[in-house]
Structures are given as C-alpha cells and as structure tokens.
C-alpha cells in the first residue's frame, strides 16, 4: 500500500510538471487514467472480434486467401483475425495508431496492445498460438523511424500469450510506398512480393502463427506476408492475423 501511494504521489507531481492529456479528446488525465480519459475509454469502438472465430475482418482476409490458393485447388485452413478497435479517420481514436506510428508513443502502443492481448488470451481459438511475427519494415524506414510499430504491438502480445516473438523470420525485400497514400486498387500491387523469409531464418516448429500489424485496411500487406510464410513452410502451418485497429467495414 505504501509503495502504491508513493507511485500515485510521484505520478501526481509528474502531471503537474508535464500534464498528460487524453489522446482522443485532449482533456487532462487524472492520476488513475492512462492515455485515455474514462469517458473516451468507455466509448472506445471495440470490435470484439477476438470472441468471434468468424467475423468481418477474418472473412475479408480469407477472401484474399481463397481467391488465389483455394481456387488453385490447395487446402487452406481458415485464418482467424482480430483487432482491438475500429479505425475511422474522422474520429479522435485514429490518433491511437498515429501516435504509435509517427510520434514514437511506445507507451501508448504497449498499453493498447496489452488490452488486445487480454482479449486474445480469453479466446479458445487463439489458445494454441505459439509464435508471433510482426510485419517487418524496410531497413531504411526502420533506421529513420528508430523502431517498428508492428514489433511494439507483437512484443506485448507475445508477453501476454506466452508465445515466441519471432523477428528473425520475415524481411521486407523492397521499400514500398506508404499504404495510406495508395488507392485501394493499388494496395495489393504495392506490396505483392515485398516480403520473403530470411535466408538465415531458423526453423519454425509452430502450430499456430500470429501475423501482427498496426492497422488492417484491405489486408494486402498481411496477405503478402502470409504467402511468404506458406511458400516457405508449407500448408500445415496455421496462420492468423491481428492488428491494433481495423478500418470499418
């Protein structure tokens, strides 16, 4: 109790020196609030996809898989998919992923990723996830940014799910245009063949791999990673996808 009281007092002093504000509405946060005020946290547009083995996001991703692989006669296991909240550019909640991606707000990224991780931990269909692979950045972009936002999310998920964080598997072979600046029609072409399994990648003795990115829009980036894994490790590997946010469908 004394330690908790001391931490609360220190946080209160820090808030006076450097006031913390809600990411969404910019109101001052109380000592007990983290990143979002209690009102914005209550209104967070959560998807609840983690509790649904089949949902809008999963169906959309599996449509990509079925188009190319099932149509060629290959057996394709249904990929589970989940996101913490719906991304709508017209609302302040879009600032959550923007703060992580463009403003180095690692603390906020980890906070919301742990929230997502707790949802996944309660879902039976994610119970056997044993490896988590973040979508890699091209080395030039990672060098300029200093970190990979997908890796920040994946690290928190791996910690909560007790899975291995595997950053040694995939690499981005060429730098692509930022997906936010590409039309829907061009997104797939933009990332087609952009990812491959590293030559020095170790074995992946996993039953269920989770591919992780920050935002799901068309699913093109995740699908490009999915294809790279399938081509290298075969059809027996179950691959599911998770993002912090999902563009409303």
């Amino acid at each position: 109790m004394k330690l908790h009281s001391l931490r609360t007092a220190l946080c209160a002093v820090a808030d006076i020196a450097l006031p913390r504000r809600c990411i969404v509405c910019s109101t001052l946060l109380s000592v007990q609030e983290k990143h979002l005020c209690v009102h914005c946290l209550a209104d967070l547009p959560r998807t609840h996809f983690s509790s649904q083995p089949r949902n809008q996001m999963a169906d959309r991703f599996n449509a990509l898989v079925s188009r190319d692989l099932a149509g060629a006669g290959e057996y394709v296991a249904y990929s589970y998919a989940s996101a913490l909240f719906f991304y709508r550019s017209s609302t302040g909640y879009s600032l959550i992923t923007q703060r992580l991606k463009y403003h180095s707000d690692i603390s906020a990224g980890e906070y919301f990723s742990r929230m997502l991780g707790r949802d996944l931990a309660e879902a039976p269909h994610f119970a056997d996830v044993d490896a988590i692979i973040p979508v890699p950045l091209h080395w030039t972009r990672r060098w300029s940014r200093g970190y990979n936002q997908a890796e920040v999310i994946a690290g928190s998920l791996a910690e909560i799910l007790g899975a291995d964080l595997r950053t040694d598997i995939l690499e981005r072979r060429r730098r692509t245009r930022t997906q936010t600046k590409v039309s829907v029609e061009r997104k797939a072409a933009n990332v087609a063949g952009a990812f491959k399994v590293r030559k020095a990648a170790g074995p992946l003795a996993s039953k269920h791999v989770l591919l992780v990115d920050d935002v799901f829009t068309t699913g093109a980036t995740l699908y490009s990673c999915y294809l790279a894994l399938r081509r290298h490790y075969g059809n027996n590997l179950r691959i599911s996808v998770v993002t912090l946010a999902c563009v409303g469908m």
Side-chain angles (χ1 to χ4, degrees), residues 20-207:
R20 298 176 302 119
R21 293 185 177 273
C22 174
I23 292 175
V24 173
C25 70
S26 297
T27 60
L28 290 173
L29 296 177
S30 69
V31 173
Q32 291 76 25
E33 294 171 331
K34 295 183 178 180
H35 306 291
L36 294 183
C37 68
V38 65
H39 304 292
C40 289
L41 181 59
D43 289 337
L44 180 68
R46 300 182 70 142
T47 68
H48 300 291
F49 286 162
S50 296
S51 62
Q52 306 167 33
R54 290 179 179 265
N55 55 62
Q56 302 172 55
M57 179 177 168
D59 285 344
R60 191 166 182 175
F61 184 79
N62 281 279
L64 297 175
V65 176
S66 298
R67 180 195 64 195
D68 295 338
L69 301 182
E74 293 187 47
Y75 167 75
V76 181
Y78 187 84
S79 293
Y80 303 125
S82 185
L84 178 64
F85 66 96
F86 285 111
Y87 181 100
R88 298 182 180 92
S89 59
S90 59
T91 73
Y93 291 100
S94 64
L95 297 174
I96 292 174
T97 53
Q98 291 175 23
R99 285 275 291 268
L100 170 61
K101 188 171 184 176
Y102 301 114
H103 303 287
S104 304
D105 197 339
I106 306 297
S107 176
E110 291 175 339
Y111 174 79
F112 292 105
S113 299
R114 287 193 293 269
M115 193 181 298
L116 173 60
R118 289 191 289 272
D119 287 348
L120 297 176
E122 295 178 358
H125 48 288
F126 287 115
D128 61 344
V129 168
D130 48 8
I132 298 182
I133 301 176
V135 171
L137 286 178
H138 190 266
W139 72 267
T140 57
R141 186 161 281 141
R142 182 179 182 121
W143 178 81
S144 62
R145 189 173 296 169
Y147 64 97
N148 176 2
Q149 70 277 5
E151 192 173 323
V152 171
I153 300 167
S156 295
L157 298 183
E159 182 179 347
I160 289 180
L161 296 177
D164 293 330
L165 176 62
R166 299 297 301 268
T167 60
D168 61 320
I169 301 297
L170 287 176
E171 67 176 345
R172 190 182 291 248
R173 63 197 306 179
R174 58 183 172 82
R175 180 165 177 163
T176 56
R177 294 177 61 189
T178 301
Q179 289 289 76
T180 55
K181 299 178 181 179
V182 179
S183 67
V184 172
E185 294 76 13
R186 293 288 300 167
K187 287 182 186 292
N190 185 45
V191 294
F195 303 93
K196 67 175 183 178
V197 173
R198 295 176 181 271
K199 290 182 178 179
L204 190 60
S206 300
K207 298 177 182 177

Side-chain angles (χ1 to χ4, degrees), residues 202-215:
L204 190 60
S206 300
K207 298 177 182 177
H208 192 172
V209 167
L210 206 59
L211 277 172
V212 176
D213 205 0
D214 55 346
V215 180

Side-chain angles (χ1 to χ4, degrees), residues 224-244:
S224 184
C225 292
Y226 173 100
L227 284 179
L229 290 175
R230 277 184 62 93
R231 287 167 179 164
H232 189 87
Y233 292 106
N235 298 344
N236 294 327
L237 182 67
R238 175 177 283 281
I239 305 172
S240 295
V241 296
V242 167
T243 59
L244 204 55

